[in-house]
Amino acid sequence: MSDVVEKTLTALPGLLLSLDSQPGAAKLCATSRLGSLVRSITELTSKNEEEKLIKKELAAIKEQVSSPNTTLKQMKEIMVRAIYCEMLGYEASFSYIHAIKLAQQGSVLEKRVGYLAVSLFLHESHDLLLLLVNTVLKDLQSTNLIEVCMALTVVSQIFPKDMIPAVLPLVEDKLTHSKEIIRRKAVLALYKFYLIAPNQVQHIHDKFRKALCDKDPGVMTASLHIYLKLIKESPESYKDLTDSFVTILKQVVGGKLPVDFNYHSVPAPWLQMQLLRILALLGKEDQRTSEMMYEVLDESLRRAEINHNITYAILYECLKTIYTIHPKSELLEKAAKCIGKFVLSPKINLKYLGLKALTYVVQQDPNLALQHQMTIIECLDHSDPIIKRETLELLYRITNGQNVSVIVEKMLDFLRLSKDEYTTIDLVGKVAELAEKYSPDNSWFIQTMNAIFSIGGDVMQPDIPNNFLRLLAEGFDSDEEDRQLRLLAVDSYLSLLECDTSGLPQRFLQVISWVLGEFSFLKEGLEPADVVERLGKLLDDDAITTETRCWVLAAMSKLCGSSDALCKAEKVAHKYTSCLDTALRQQAVELELLGRDVDLRTRVLPQHGARNQLEVDSSLSFLDGFVSDALARGAAPYKPPHQRQEELSQEKILNFEPYGLSLPVSLSACSLTDRQSPTALSLSSSLSGNSADPPLKAGSNLLKLEGVKRVWGKQGYLPEKQATEEALAQEPSSIFAPSHQQACSESQQTTFSTIVEQDQEKRQLASSLFVGLGSQNAPCLLGKPEASSSQRFRRKVRPEDPSDVNRSLAVSSSFSHSSSALDVLLDNAIPDPTAVCLLVEPASAQNLSDSTSEAVPAVGNTEVVEASEVSSLSGGSGPLAQPSSQVERGLESDLPSRLPATLVGLLRSDVEELCSGESLSLSACKVFDADALVLAIFLSNISDSSIQEVSCLISSEQLKVLDESCCSFTELEAHGVVVSLYRLVMEAPGTQAIVRGSVSCASQATQSFSLTLSLVDFIRPLPLTTEEYGKMWLSFSHDVKQNLMLLKHEEEDQLEAALTALKEKLCLHIVDVIGAEGIMACQLVSGRPCLLHCHTHGGMLAIWLRSPIADLPDCLLYHCQKAIQER
């Protein structure tokens, strides 16, 4: 034990007893029990001796607390000894009840020791805590300030949420107490209440505002903790307080607070950092609010010039705030200079902060990375592994298709030398993602993945090999690319099996087995028997685990197409038929059965590509009977993974999970999530090019060396050597110089040339790492590709679901997703020209229409009119698309009365105009029938003469037209209206469907239109009982799970509000609500059902959809998210 700890523990008892106000109280001398105990422990030489001494001491304490003759003063000293034993890790539970008794009676000092012991002994779930409630209530009403402070301290430390209602009124009253220390402790207690039970303190938000305006700076500082939490959850609700926070920060920066708040001559640094975090949340994506902060942020940057760690902390928070709020060029320039101070600092901690800051802001201003590229190169060779890792994190964020090879190589080199398991797991995942996203060719991708499997071993996340195998199995847009990639994988793994495989990780061997079992047939001239023989050699290695042996046997089963391969596989599998391991024995027995039954082998193992058409019952419906019997016998029902994970997180258990990944400092203001949730990413690059330096051209390989200072190199501290070289260069050269000076000059020249060569290597490396950066080619957040970049491996996209992109943008998921989802987003996020027409003046829209008409070939005299918004009926463009006349507007309200009597009582949408010409106007409305969507198109004659031979035709690729009525009319009278009806159903589920149509008549050119229908138009409620719901749930095989963010409203049941929104907006039927869970059902108008399971937790709605139709859950999920956001 160190001297400092020893002195502290020795002085603690004397300090406690020195506060005793009773006259004549004896001070704790060196011969006291606690002093002797501390001294005895420090003199021990082994852990065993310590245990014996502590057990003896605890026995003595137990005897003393049980004695009826022990006074309160003696009990106080006994509690201090018990606290000391507990601090050393030895349980003294027998003293807990006596600590509570000491807090209930005695003098102020004795109560203080009792409260201290209780706060250290008990936790929020302890049963004895209930005995303390009455004591706390009594002390909260006491006139003694010390007793009130002790009660408030205990309340904020150990009171659970179940006891909050008992003490909340008294704590709330203390917000108006005359003493500032009471008000401050009351605010901190309410902050604790808000953290564990926010709904119970919603009614006192106005009093929080009074605390913010309190005349005492300590009370105001305490209230900032609550406001930081509140603003993180709902920034829009507290925009009106921006001016207050700015004023407070101005006063703090200006030194208006008492000197007691200063730290190393810096005024209230922690208060400044708290205010800066709050301002970042309020000013994000809000120009008006951000403009209120510019002056105080500029002042904060200017005043934080003291060379001390605390000023660097303020600068770091100020930088993040500046790059989070709406940008201002002058502030960005000053912030860039401050980042340079961090990055170029010789102190490791400041350099690390500079790299973190660069990692945070590089997606907005890539020029910063270009300005410090040589320093970043130096950091790659830094002796501190943390600096290296953060540098790789920065390079990971600026990766693109041009520099991926160099960056991945640097990451792999670092992984080969790293022995930290967490670092390996983190970087292996990043390398795998970059390899899939930016791979230059198939061969490089396979080699990189092999390196990942070799280095990552069995510690990497299982999603990495699983995603790789799924990528090979599902294929991409090009069949030829699929074949080449699979063939390269087969060749690579066959060559690996020819070498020594004892050093390969188990997961790598499993990947090899699966790939050879699935795709070895692609290699011409390769016999299945040869592959089986090579796989069989893996089983001879004793280091192979049972799981890997199962993978190998499964691969052999797929290769049993020929008799030779079958014979070899049966010989290998025979010795495992009596294995004790159930899974391995099952694989061996199945392999033998396949060898005996030819018909079974033909059906189960189709040759070559035919296996892609296999239908797999992913719901395991053949086990329904077994599940029903088990439930009838009292077995626990199945819980989905997210629900089990949620219940585990709510239990009072220790958390042994590692800290989060090495991402930029997490701020709610910047809405940064992990890479697996790309839906919340900010793709804005509006700050690019705001640096003071001119930007480089996109794709330029030239270096920006202005302002770059080389400080360290392999030869030592470079400025000293350069100064020596400059001094030598200034000396006049003479042919009469001594020979030893010439030798020295030659030596200096050699050293200089070596430095130049090393510097040239670093410049070449920098040109490879930072290629593709610049204001015209800014890297997106988290290294995501730009919209114009192409991804090497692109998964096949379902054509019938064009809005998967929109769904991935709207939904913030807590589950794992394929990294290619965002690539589809970026590649397809091109605005529709017709959508632009809706945002400009009519003349501009006409010009845009004229400018785009040349690119669209015209057929006859048809004028094409495109709709641009989902679930809306929009107008067209072209010569016939003119504003509606007054006559037409007068007829619009009368149009629904012209519907047939069979449709009058049904729900319908409002009538919307499709297009309008000189004499003919088209409007439409949707009528929601039980078995179809009825599209009613009203044809109105807005001229004074009749129109002959009017015909209306529609078509759709996504929809099926069941019935058409009144599509052709011989004559349409002047100012007359006729109705064409079409019954539509959606055969293949999709989030939207486009209906195109045309109207022709004898007197004018053909008039075309189009409109977009939503999936919601074809959804109908499905009434079910809970029992029927349960049976259908087990029988459905296609599902999707997602976490949706809920917007919090005061005094609102989140589950009830969410279910109501889904019911009203999507026509879903609420089957049942049980606690925090709800189940709903609906069906497509063609009779195909979809079931929903909803569960609220932590401000999120966990939603699980199941259906017998593959794409229906995916499509409906998008509309669920939209309904939740719009409620």
Side-chain angles (χ1 to χ4, degrees):
M1 184 178 298
S2 65
D3 295 338
V4 176
V5 177
E6 180 180 350
K7 292 178 181 179
T8 303
L9 294 177
T10 304
L12 177 62
L15 178 63
L16 289 175
L17 287 184
S18 65
L19 301 176
D20 198 340
S21 60
Q22 296 181 3
K27 306 303 180 197
L28 189 64
C29 61
T31 59
S32 67
R33 294 293 302 271
L34 180 59
S36 300
L37 175 63
V38 173
R39 186 174 296 101
S40 300
I41 290 178
T42 57
E43 294 174 354
L44 298 178
T45 58
S46 66
K47 183 68 175 177
N48 189 27
E49 294 177 358
E50 179 186 303
E51 291 179 357
K52 291 180 180 180
L53 179 61
I54 295 298
K55 288 181 179 179
K56 182 179 178 180
E57 181 68 20
L58 289 176
I61 292 175
K62 187 173 184 180
E63 181 180 354
Q64 292 177 11
V65 297
S66 303
S67 175
N69 299 325
T70 304
T71 65
L72 292 177
K73 185 175 180 179
Q74 293 172 336
M75 187 65 72
K76 177 186 62 177
E77 194 266 347
I78 293 172
M79 284 298 108
V80 175
R81 288 157 54 196
I83 290 173
Y84 183 68
C85 293
E86 285 265 346
M87 289 169 58
L88 294 177
Y90 299 93
E91 185 180 6
S93 57
F94 60 86
S95 64
Y96 294 174
I97 186 65
H98 299 282
I100 295 177
K101 290 180 180 179
L102 188 62
Q104 293 174 344
Q105 53 192 349
S107 63
V108 173
L109 182 59
E110 291 159 356
K111 289 174 68 70
R112 183 179 181 183
V113 175
Y115 272 124
L116 174 64
V118 167
S119 63
L120 295 175
F121 290 160
L122 306 184
H123 53 79
E124 293 183 356
S125 302
H126 203 284
D127 297 334
L128 293 179
L129 196 59
L130 189 62
L131 302 176
L132 196 65
V133 176
N134 288 332
T135 303
V136 171
L137 290 175
K138 183 183 68 174
D139 290 339
L140 285 175
Q141 302 175 41
S142 174
T143 56
N144 191 316
L145 296 181
I146 298 179
E147 291 181 352
V148 177
C149 288
M150 290 188 295
L152 288 173
T153 302
V154 170
V155 162
S156 62
Q157 286 182 345
I158 59 175
F159 261 44
K161 61 181 180 180
D162 298 335
M163 299 183 183
I164 291 178
V167 298
L168 181 59
L170 294 175
V171 176
E172 188 179 341
D173 291 340
K174 296 298 178 288
L175 291 175
T176 57
H177 200 276
S178 59
K179 293 296 182 179
E180 60 273 1
I181 187 174
I182 302 295
R183 299 199 301 272
R184 182 169 69 248
K185 286 184 175 292
V187 171
L188 293 176
L190 291 174
Y191 173 59
K192 175 64 180 298
F193 294 167
Y194 182 81
L195 292 179
I196 61 178
N199 294 331
Q200 298 188 23
V201 295
Q202 294 287 342
H203 62 287
I204 56 176
H205 281 191
D206 292 338
K207 295 187 178 180
F208 292 159
R209 295 185 177 235
K210 293 182 180 180
L212 180 65
C213 302
D214 195 279
K215 60 182 179 180
D216 182 73
V219 179
M220 178 269 296
T221 304
S223 68
L224 293 181
H225 296 285
I226 300 177
Y227 275 106
L228 180 61
K229 188 72 176 177
L230 292 171
I231 294 172
K232 281 183 180 179
E233 297 173 355
S234 179
E236 297 295 332
S237 304
Y238 301 93
K239 296 281 188 180
D240 58 318
L241 292 177
T242 304
D243 187 54
S244 300
F245 291 123
V246 170
T247 302
I248 294 173
L249 183 57
K250 285 181 179 179
Q251 294 178 359
V252 174
V253 174
K256 302 297 180 62
L257 295 187
V259 182
D260 297 340
F261 287 86
N262 290 2
Y263 178 79
H264 286 271
S265 302
V266 179
W270 286 275
L271 177 57
Q272 290 190 50
M273 290 185 281
Q274 194 86 323
L275 288 168
L276 288 171
R277 295 188 187 107
I278 292 175
L279 293 179
L281 294 171
L282 293 173
K284 183 186 178 185
E285 299 178 356
D286 189 336
Q287 182 176 357
R288 187 181 64 84
T289 304
S290 299
E291 290 174 352
M292 302 169 63
M293 311 174 187
Y294 291 153
E295 181 180 354
V296 70
L297 291 176
D298 191 8
E299 185 70 12
S300 298
L301 284 177
R302 188 180 63 83
R303 288 181 177 268
E305 296 177 352
I306 303 175
N307 189 16
H308 191 273
N309 285 339
I310 196 64
T311 59
Y312 287 114
I314 297 175
L315 276 177
Y316 183 69
E317 290 295 338
C318 197
L319 289 175
K320 291 194 297 184
T321 303
I322 291 173
Y323 277 95
T324 301
I325 65 175
H326 188 81
K328 183 181 180 182
S329 58
E330 293 82 359
L331 276 179
L332 293 176
E333 292 176 5
K334 295 180 179 180
K337 294 179 181 178
C338 292
I339 292 179
K341 294 180 182 179
F342 284 102
V343 175
L344 298 176
S345 173
K347 298 181 180 180
I348 293 180
N349 291 336
L350 298 183
K351 188 179 291 292
Y352 175 78
L353 275 182
L355 292 173
K356 292 286 278 186
L358 274 178
T359 304
Y360 174 68
V361 304
V362 71
Q363 75 277 1
Q364 296 181 345
D365 192 356
N367 291 325
L368 286 180
L370 294 174
Q371 294 172 18
H372 304 291
Q373 52 186 310
M374 295 308 299
T375 305
I376 295 173
I377 297 300
E378 295 286 350
C379 291
L380 284 175
D381 297 327
H382 203 280
S383 58
D384 193 323
I386 303 299
I387 297 295
K388 283 186 178 180
R389 191 173 67 183
E390 192 59 35
T391 305
L392 292 175
E393 182 75 20
L394 172 60
L395 295 177
Y396 164 70
R397 304 307 173 97
I398 63 174
T399 305
N400 52 51
Q402 297 173 277
N403 60 9
V404 63
S405 301
V406 182
I407 292 179
V408 166
E409 182 182 355
K410 289 295 179 182
M411 288 184 172
L412 293 177
D413 291 343
F414 180 79
L415 283 172
R416 292 186 180 99
L417 300 177
S418 175
K419 298 181 180 179
D420 181 54
E421 181 176 324
Y422 169 73
T423 301
T424 301
I425 296 174
D426 183 23
L427 281 185
V428 161
K430 289 179 169 60
V431 174
E433 183 174 359
L434 294 179
E436 180 178 345
K437 191 174 302 297
Y438 301 113
S439 175
D441 54 66
N442 292 339
S443 178
W444 183 91
F445 175 71
I446 295 297
Q447 293 176 5
T448 303
M449 294 305 297
N450 290 349
I452 290 172
F453 296 143
S454 300
I455 297 173
D458 298 323
V459 301
M460 63 181 172
Q461 296 292 341
D463 290 342
I464 296 175
N466 292 343
N467 289 338
F468 173 70
L469 296 181
R470 185 172 61 180
L471 186 146
L472 290 177
E474 294 179 355
F476 317 106
D477 293 338
S478 172
D479 293 338
E480 183 61 27
E481 285 282 339
D482 297 346
R483 186 180 182 281
Q484 291 179 3
L485 183 64
R486 294 164 181 169
L487 187 57
L488 282 172
V490 171
D491 291 336
S492 175
Y493 297 151
L494 286 176
S495 61
L496 284 176
L497 291 182
E498 294 177 356
C499 305
D500 183 17
T501 59
S502 58
L504 297 180
Q506 299 299 311
R507 285 184 178 170
F508 194 10
L509 294 176
Q510 294 168 11
V511 170
I512 292 174
S513 303
W514 188 89
V515 171
L516 293 180
E518 287 285 338
F519 304 116
S520 60
F521 69 89
L522 295 174
K523 186 173 179 60
E524 298 180 0
L526 179 63
E527 294 295 332
D530 296 338
V531 181
V532 171
E533 183 178 357
R534 298 184 187 185
L535 291 174
K537 293 180 181 179
L538 293 177
L539 301 176
D540 297 335
D541 189 354
D542 296 335
I544 299 297
T545 62
T546 302
E547 182 183 4
T548 304
R549 295 179 189 274
C550 293
W551 281 72
V552 174
L553 289 179
M556 289 183 175
S557 301
K558 302 173 186 177
L559 297 170
C560 293
S562 64
S563 58
D564 294 341
L566 179 61
C567 181
K568 292 182 179 181
E570 286 180 334
K571 290 180 181 179
V572 174
H574 180 70
K575 62 180 180 180
Y576 295 107
T577 54
S578 58
C579 180
L580 296 179
D581 186 87
T582 306
L584 188 57
R585 185 170 67 250
Q586 179 181 350
Q587 289 287 350
V589 172
E590 289 179 357
L591 182 54
E592 284 194 340
L593 290 177
L594 289 174
R596 298 171 189 170
D597 193 337
V598 179
D599 295 336
L600 178 63
R601 187 166 67 249
T602 304
R603 286 186 288 109
V604 174
L605 301 174
Q607 294 296 316
H608 306 329
R611 65 187 57 167
N612 293 333
Q613 283 74 39
L614 286 177
E615 294 185 3
V616 179
D617 186 4
S618 59
S619 65
L620 304 179
S621 58
F622 55 88
L623 294 176
D624 290 349
F626 172 79
V627 173
S628 300
D629 295 340
L631 292 175
R633 292 194 298 268
Y638 171 76
K639 295 180 180 179
H642 67 275
Q643 185 176 349
R644 283 176 289 174
Q645 198 173 29
E646 180 185 320
E647 293 177 355
L648 285 176
S649 64
Q650 295 175 355
E651 295 180 2
K652 301 296 182 181
I653 59 176
L654 291 177
N655 184 13
F656 295 100
E657 296 295 326
Y659 291 108
L661 299 179
S662 177
L663 294 174
V665 175
S666 175
L667 280 181
S668 298
C670 55
S671 302
L672 292 178
T673 59
D674 38 21
R675 291 182 68 85
Q676 293 182 350
S677 183
T679 58
L681 300 181
S682 174
L683 301 178
S684 172
S685 60
S686 59
L687 299 183
S688 299
N690 287 333
S691 175
D693 293 331
L696 291 181
K697 294 182 179 180
S700 175
N701 293 336
L702 299 178
L703 293 177
K704 284 179 61 65
L705 300 179
E706 294 80 6
V708 176
K709 182 179 180 182
R710 292 187 295 111
V711 180
W712 286 95
K714 294 183 178 180
Q715 301 298 323
Y717 190 55
L718 296 183
E720 293 182 357
K721 295 183 177 295
Q722 292 175 354
T724 303
E725 293 160 5
E726 290 174 0
L728 291 175
Q730 291 174 0
E731 295 180 1
S733 58
S734 175
I735 58 174
F736 302 103
S739 59
H740 70 275
Q741 292 184 2
Q742 296 179 3
C744 181
S745 177
E746 293 176 358
S747 176
Q748 294 288 344
Q749 184 66 25
T750 304
T751 304
F752 179 76
S753 61
T754 304
I755 296 176
V756 170
E757 292 177 0
Q758 295 173 353
D759 184 59
Q760 184 66 24
E761 293 178 359
K762 293 178 181 179
R763 293 187 180 188
Q764 293 176 358
L765 177 59
S767 64
S768 301
L769 289 175
F770 298 96
V771 64
L773 296 185
S775 60
Q776 302 300 325
N777 192 16
C780 294
L781 182 59
L782 300 182
K784 299 298 181 183
E786 298 81 347
S788 60
S789 63
S790 60
Q791 182 181 340
R792 176 68 185 179
F793 301 113
R794 190 182 313 283
R795 301 186 189 280
K796 294 180 179 178
V797 182
R798 294 187 296 269
E800 65 275 12
D801 189 5
S803 64
D804 281 344
V805 172
N806 299 326
R807 184 176 62 255
S808 66
L809 181 62
V811 180
S812 179
S813 171
S814 63
F815 301 98
S816 299
H817 293 286
S818 169
S819 61
S820 63
L822 187 61
D823 307 317
V824 179
L825 167 66
L826 296 174
D827 289 336
N828 293 295
I830 301 174
D832 190 346
T834 57
V836 181
C837 296
L838 301 178
L839 306 176
V840 296
E841 296 297 327
S844 301
Q846 181 64 35
N847 295 336
L848 179 61
S849 176
D850 296 339
S851 63
T852 56
S853 60
E854 297 179 1
V856 181
V859 180
N861 294 325
T862 302
E863 298 293 340
V864 180
V865 183
E866 294 291 344
S868 61
E869 293 188 52
V870 179
S871 303
S872 65
L873 307 175
S874 58
S877 63
L880 297 180
Q882 303 294 335
S884 302
S885 63
Q886 295 182 358
V887 177
E888 180 188 1
R889 288 194 295 268
L891 292 174
E892 182 176 346
S893 60
D894 187 50
L895 293 180
S897 62
R898 301 179 181 273
L899 291 173
T902 55
L903 303 179
V904 171
L906 300 178
L907 292 176
R908 60 173 177 81
S909 67
D910 295 334
V911 178
E912 298 289 343
E913 181 186 0
L914 289 180
C915 59
S916 179
E918 297 177 353
S919 58
L920 191 61
S921 175
L922 273 69
S923 302
C925 77
K926 296 172 286 188
V927 182
F928 305 102
D929 202 352
D931 57 351
L933 174 69
V934 180
L935 180 63
I937 298 180
F938 302 93
L939 292 86
S940 304
N941 186 354
I942 57 177
S943 65
D944 297 330
S945 59
S946 61
I947 303 176
Q948 307 296 323
E949 304 295 333
V950 180
S951 176
C952 181
L953 299 176
I954 68 169
S955 63
S956 175
E957 297 179 358
Q958 298 94 349
L959 305 177
K960 180 179 181 181
V961 182
L962 298 180
D963 185 24
E964 301 177 349
S965 61
C966 302
C967 299
S968 300
F969 307 91
T970 305
E971 182 180 4
L972 180 56
E973 298 178 354
H975 302 292
V977 180
V978 292
V979 185
S980 296
L981 302 178
Y982 305 89
R983 299 182 65 84
L984 308 176
V985 295
M986 181 175 285
E987 291 187 322
T991 55
Q992 63 182 17
I994 299 177
V995 176
R996 304 183 186 277
S998 61
V999 177
S1000 61
C1001 60
S1003 59
Q1004 66 182 24
T1006 300
Q1007 190 171 345
S1008 297
F1009 62 90
S1010 69
L1011 58 91
T1012 304
L1013 302 178
S1014 170
L1015 173 69
V1016 181
D1017 298 330
F1018 300 89
I1019 292 295
R1020 302 292 181 267
L1022 178 61
L1024 291 175
T1025 63
T1026 305
E1027 292 76 12
E1028 294 172 341
Y1029 179 96
K1031 294 179 181 179
M1032 295 177 66
W1033 181 270
L1034 293 175
S1035 64
F1036 294 164
S1037 58
H1038 302 284
D1039 63 352
V1040 63
K1041 309 169 189 176
Q1042 201 74 274
N1043 272 13
L1044 308 181
M1045 180 68 71
L1046 291 175
L1047 299 178
K1048 292 189 176 181
H1049 300 276
E1050 295 185 1
E1051 300 180 358
E1052 179 185 69
D1053 186 346
Q1054 290 187 344
L1055 179 63
E1056 180 182 355
L1059 296 181
T1060 302
L1062 294 176
K1063 176 182 177 181
E1064 294 176 352
K1065 296 182 179 297
L1066 305 184
C1067 298
L1068 306 183
H1069 171 69
I1070 301 178
V1071 179
D1072 198 359
V1073 179
I1074 306 173
E1077 301 184 19
I1079 53 178
M1080 310 181 75
C1082 66
Q1083 61 180 340
L1084 219 50
V1085 289
S1086 53
R1088 289 165 289 186
C1090 184
L1091 306 181
L1092 293 86
H1093 174 275
C1094 303
H1095 179 48
T1096 57
H1097 63 93
M1100 303 291 289
L1101 178 67
I1103 185 169
W1104 190 357
L1105 298 93
R1106 270 198 174 188
S1107 174
I1109 309 302
D1111 299 330
L1112 185 54
D1114 274 345
C1115 300
L1116 189 58
L1117 178 62
Y1118 165 70
H1119 293 285
C1120 291
Q1121 167 69 8
K1122 189 175 179 181
I1124 294 298
Q1125 289 181 342
E1126 295 177 354
R1127 69 184 179 91

